[in-house]
């Protein structure tokens, strides 16, 4: 089982507490990168904390939560080697792993209920990447990172 680096802004703070409790009951190793109160913070800062750690540990996944999941997933996907998927249903979570080899799961704390969020997290943790034709497509995304991140705006 992968180690989880989890983080949230104030919009995802309450759901993060629920998911940390869930990971504990499932005996999944995790590190909570904050925030640790409902004080307002900027979601790109949390995304960077989590994504930098995911990139240092190949045997890890990230979980990021903001109000809608939109801002924090956009920020996460600006990091190299990060494939962040915004999931609000289990089918998306399954396909994000099977086809997209997503390594960061994003959710909106103001969008979904805690039980649905736990199921989504469980699916994300337990589905493997299928490889094959999907690997070819991910290689193209890696090429995009090389050309787009280095090109003048
Ligand atoms: C914070 O109010 C909110 O904008 C943030 O949590 C997130 O939903 C942004 O996409």
């Amino acid at each position: 089982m992968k180690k989880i680096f989890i983080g949230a802004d104030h919009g995802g703070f309450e759901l993060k507490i629920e998911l940390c409790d869930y990971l504990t009951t499932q005996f999944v190793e995790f590190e909570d990168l904050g925030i640790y109160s409902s004080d307002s913070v900027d979601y790109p800062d949390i995304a960077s904390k989590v994504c930098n750690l995911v990139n240092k540990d190949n045997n890890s996944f990230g979980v990021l939560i903001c109000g809608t999941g939109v801002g924090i997933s956009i920020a996460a996907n600006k990091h190299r080697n990060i494939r962040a998927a915004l999931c609000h249903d289990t089918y998306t979570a399954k396909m994000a792993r099977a086809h997209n080899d997503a390594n960061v799961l994003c959710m909106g704390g103001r969008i979904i209920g805690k039980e649905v969020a736990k199921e989504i997290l469980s699916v994300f943790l337990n589905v493997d990447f299928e490889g094959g034709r999907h690997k070819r497509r991910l290689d193209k995304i890696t090429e995009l990172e090389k050309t787009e991140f280095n090109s003048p705006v």
Side-chain angles (χ1 to χ4, degrees):
M1 185 64 78
K2 305 261 188 186
K3 177 175 178 175
I4 303 300
F5 296 107
I6 187 167
D9 77 351
H10 49 289
F13 169 65
E14 285 181 17
L15 182 56
K16 178 171 68 64
I17 294 172
E18 295 288 341
L19 293 182
C20 287
D21 288 348
Y22 173 72
L23 290 170
T24 302
T25 65
Q26 300 302 302
F27 305 103
V28 177
E29 186 187 0
F30 69 94
E31 198 173 322
D32 180 359
L33 280 306
I35 56 171
Y36 308 108
S37 74
S38 55
D39 292 349
S40 180
V41 291
D42 297 335
Y43 55 79
D45 299 335
I46 304 294
S48 289
K49 274 190 184 181
V50 166
C51 292
N52 291 337
L53 286 168
V54 169
N55 270 332
K56 282 185 189 147
D57 181 349
N58 280 338
N59 200 36
S60 73
F61 283 146
V63 175
L64 286 169
I65 312 153
C66 68
T68 59
V70 173
I72 212 155
S73 59
I74 291 172
N77 278 313
K78 299 297 179 190
H79 296 75
R80 275 180 207 282
N81 304 317
I82 293 298
R83 293 173 301 281
L86 175 54
C87 301
H88 289 144
D89 62 84
T90 52
Y91 180 77
T92 308
K94 177 180 159 191
M95 300 314 278
R97 287 289 311 124
H99 286 191
N100 310 116
D101 199 18
N103 53 6
V104 175
L105 169 64
C106 300
M107 288 183 275
R110 295 172 181 156
I111 306 293
I112 45 171
K114 60 185 183 187
E115 297 306 326
V116 173
K118 288 180 205 170
E119 281 188 24
I120 289 168
L121 177 54
S122 173
V123 167
F124 192 87
L125 293 180
N126 288 294
V127 174
D128 290 328
F129 178 48
E130 287 177 7
R133 68 189 186 281
H134 306 297
K135 170 78 169 62
R136 185 181 69 240
R137 293 159 186 166
L138 295 189
D139 288 344
K140 291 189 177 184
I141 293 175
T142 303
E143 280 307 308
L144 277 178
E145 284 181 354
K146 287 182 195 155
T147 54
E148 291 300 311
F149 284 11
N150 291 323
S151 67
V153 184

